[in-house]
Amino acid sequence: MAERRLSGLQKDVLRLYRDCLRAIRRKPELARPRFHAFARREFERNLDIKRTDVKAIEYLLRIGRRRLEQYMSPNVRDISAA
């Protein structure tokens, strides 16, 4: 079976998701499940975006990177799972 190659944008999305998971490890242990649920929900919410919608994907990547940077702050210790 031939292995399918990922596009650059797909790799960027996966990299952002992995970065989110790594960042969660630096949060207090009790808050980690809520951070994980939040990250997963944000990515799943955008699953219906077509691969060919490059502008939307790039926009969401920028938003995601900005949010990750905000949530990486040591002052952010928990997140609402609502």
Side-chain angles (χ1 to χ4, degrees), residues 23-82:
I24 290 168
R25 289 188 222 142
R26 296 187 201 121
K27 294 301 178 184
E29 196 167 337
L30 291 174
R32 288 178 194 168
R34 287 183 291 281
F35 275 102
H36 189 270
F38 176 80
R40 183 179 180 109
R41 189 172 51 250
E42 287 298 306
F43 278 86
E44 286 179 346
R45 190 172 66 162
N46 295 300
L47 278 175
D48 59 338
I49 294 176
K50 294 181 182 175
R51 281 186 226 178
T52 55
D53 195 351
V54 175
K55 286 184 181 184
I57 296 169
E58 288 175 341
Y59 170 76
L60 290 168
L61 279 169
R62 283 192 305 273
I63 297 283
R65 287 184 194 115
R66 231 177 282 136
R67 278 190 181 171
L68 176 60
E69 190 176 308
Q70 290 172 341
Y71 295 143
M72 283 292 300
S73 168
N75 297 331
V76 178
R77 296 180 182 207
D78 206 347
I79 193 165
S80 172

